[in-house]
Amino acid sequence: MSRPFVPSPNVASIKESATIAVSQRAKALRAAGRAIIDLGAGEPDFDTPAFILEATKAALDAGATRYTAVDGILPLREEIAAAATRRRAGREAAIAAADVVVSTGSKQSLQNATFALFGPGDDVLLPVPSWVSYFEMVGLARARAVEVPGDASRGLKVTPALLEQYATPRTRGLMLNSPSNPTGAVYPADELRAITDLAAARGWWVISDEIYGRITYTVPEAPSVLDVAASRDNLVVINGVAKAYAMTGFRIGWSIAPRAVSQAMTALQSHTTSNAATASQHAALAALTRTGEADAAVRAMVSEFRARRDSARGILSAIPGLELVEPDGAFYLFFKAPGGDGTAFATRLLEHEGVAVVPGAAFGTPEWVRASYAAARPDVDSAMRAIVRAWTA
Ligand SMILES: Cc1ncc(COP(=O)(O)O)c(C=O)c1O
């Protein structure tokens, strides 16, 4: 007897990722013969640096094919801990490998953290626009996401005053993401410090997603909460190799958290996925330890991203009064759509101009649109010209 599928309460309200939905529509149109430029993707279009591929193959040949410790191979966790300790500049005892949990992408670290820290009855402050998955992760933990609208006059970033305005007695923490997906905005050190000070004073957890930290255009690296917070007792810092080293498919991310939190996250991971893929952990170790080659690769990619960004911004400047967030990091342009309807504009762009972008509704800001410039420069330029055309159409 076949029964209709009734989703369990665990997943009943979960939404498909809107960014993936756009990519699928773009692929479907392409399969139907349309020429499509896909600026919906959140993935560097560069090849993974060759030295990382070589290190991965060498690790496989040397037998890196079995389970590892749930929280990851020790040299990788040691390297992550050492780098984080340097950022703390002696504020407290060194961060240990035991404070680090390596996971299957930073996405899993974010999920581990939200699940470990928040639960029913808890409110979590979510600055919007916000990356799509935070809403769902907080929901899966059965906590409530409280949207805090970013200040349009400050690149849609939030301030301590805004966070306080939306806080409730049930607030247990907040999610931060700098450089930001979807806006590309970067929080300078003083703004980050003001937020971590507030969180410490109010006893809130800060989950800081720093996955785009190395992709910045005004500073060599975006400030981390590790650089500025007086204490790391309430910090969970998330990072990974996907964006900086063009390693999205390797699926390696990590968390740096107080020991008890790391232990809870490891216990959770031990019952879900166990260790992240062993060969990928060795690949990440090469990316983090072979710094000469890695830095050169990051520099080359960031320089190309910058050239695309500058060119794209130049073309968009033909639109009078365009509201565009200052794109200081990551690889996204976030702008207010004509008529304040991001979904209508994204649909018009795709159907009439063959350009895929993501409507801002996906990020909690329906008036806006996100265009990624993780695509070849001529394609990004053509897409920008199409946006200018569609604006006036
Ligand atoms: C803000 C943000 N955090 C995390 C991730 C996930 O990265 P990973 O591939 O390491 O899971 C992404 C990927 O799109 C992202 O944009």
Side-chain angles (χ1 to χ4, degrees), residues 159-161 163-164 174 193-204 234:
T159 57
L163 292 167
E164 293 223 78
L174 66 117
R193 184 175 305 115
I195 292 173
T196 53
D197 282 353
L198 171 71
R202 299 290 295 262
W204 298 337
N234 62 330

Side-chain angles (χ1 to χ4, degrees), residues 75-374:
L76 178 57
R77 285 184 294 119
E78 281 176 341
E79 185 57 36
I80 294 163
T85 299
R86 287 194 290 277
R87 297 197 88 146
R88 292 301 289 150
R91 284 189 195 79
E92 70 258 299
I95 294 168
D99 301 328
V100 175
V101 183
V102 174
S103 63
T104 301
S106 65
K107 213 173 219 183
Q108 187 181 22
S109 291
L110 286 159
Q111 172 70 8
N112 284 343
T114 40
F115 225 70
L117 296 176
F118 309 126
D122 292 340
D123 284 353
V124 182
L125 298 173
L126 221 60
V128 292
S130 153
W131 183 49
V132 285
S133 294
Y134 301 150
F135 299 98
E136 304 297 339
M137 288 175 178
V138 171
L140 282 170
R142 306 207 189 181
R144 188 170 71 118
V146 176
E147 298 183 18
V148 182
D151 181 348
S153 70
R154 309 170 68 100
L156 295 172
K157 290 181 288 185
V158 295
T159 57
L162 277 169
L163 292 167
E164 293 223 78
Q165 193 183 324
Y166 287 83
T168 70
R170 294 145 78 105
T171 300
R172 292 266 290 147
L174 66 117
M175 315 282 287
L176 271 185
N177 176 216
S178 174
S180 157
N181 176 5
T183 67
V186 176
Y187 283 75
D190 58 333
E191 292 179 22
L192 267 191
R193 184 175 305 115
I195 292 173
T196 53
D197 282 353
L198 171 71
R202 299 290 295 262
W204 298 337
W205 289 102
V206 177
I207 299 180
S208 182
D209 178 352
E210 303 181 356
I211 187 81
Y212 293 97
R214 295 202 69 181
I215 305 176
T216 57
Y217 308 106
T218 55
V219 285
E221 191 162 2
S224 161
V225 291
L226 288 169
D227 301 332
V228 299
S231 152
R232 68 174 193 91
D233 287 353
N234 62 330
L235 303 184
V236 179
V237 181
I238 308 289
N239 215 324
V241 294
K243 314 285 178 173
Y245 308 102
M247 292 175 68
T248 45
F250 284 79
R251 311 306 305 129
I252 295 292
W254 56 82
S255 54
I256 302 161
R259 187 75 46 92
V261 179
S262 295
Q263 283 167 347
M265 289 168 69
T266 303
L268 171 61
Q269 188 166 301
S270 77
H271 295 296
T272 52
T273 56
S274 298
N275 63 274
T278 303
S280 292
Q281 293 188 59
H282 287 274
L285 181 62
L288 297 190
T289 52
R290 290 171 62 172
T291 48
E293 293 149 289
D295 290 351
V298 172
R299 263 198 308 277
M301 290 189 267
V302 170
S303 143
E304 174 59 22
F305 278 139
R306 181 201 297 274
R308 293 175 190 173
R309 177 198 72 152
D310 291 347
S311 173
R313 205 163 36 169
I315 296 168
L316 289 184
S317 68
I319 299 172
L322 176 73
E323 276 188 68
L324 170 73
V325 175
E326 193 59 38
D328 287 336
F331 37 73
Y332 305 107
L333 297 171
F334 201 65
F335 53 89
K336 200 178 235 179
D341 188 341
T343 304
F345 188 61
T347 306
R348 193 157 87 229
L349 262 184
L350 184 56
E351 305 297 335
H352 296 180
E353 299 282 351
V355 171
V357 296
V358 182
F363 312 105
T365 43
E367 299 179 333
W368 298 71
V369 165
R370 186 193 82 177
S372 157
Y373 46 92

Side-chain angles (χ1 to χ4, degrees), residues 9-33:
N10 295 333
V11 297
S13 62
I14 207 164
K15 292 197 285 287
E16 186 196 1
S17 159
T19 46
I20 291 173
V22 169
S23 282
Q24 279 173 350
R25 174 76 184 137
K27 281 195 187 92
L29 285 174
R30 204 175 268 153

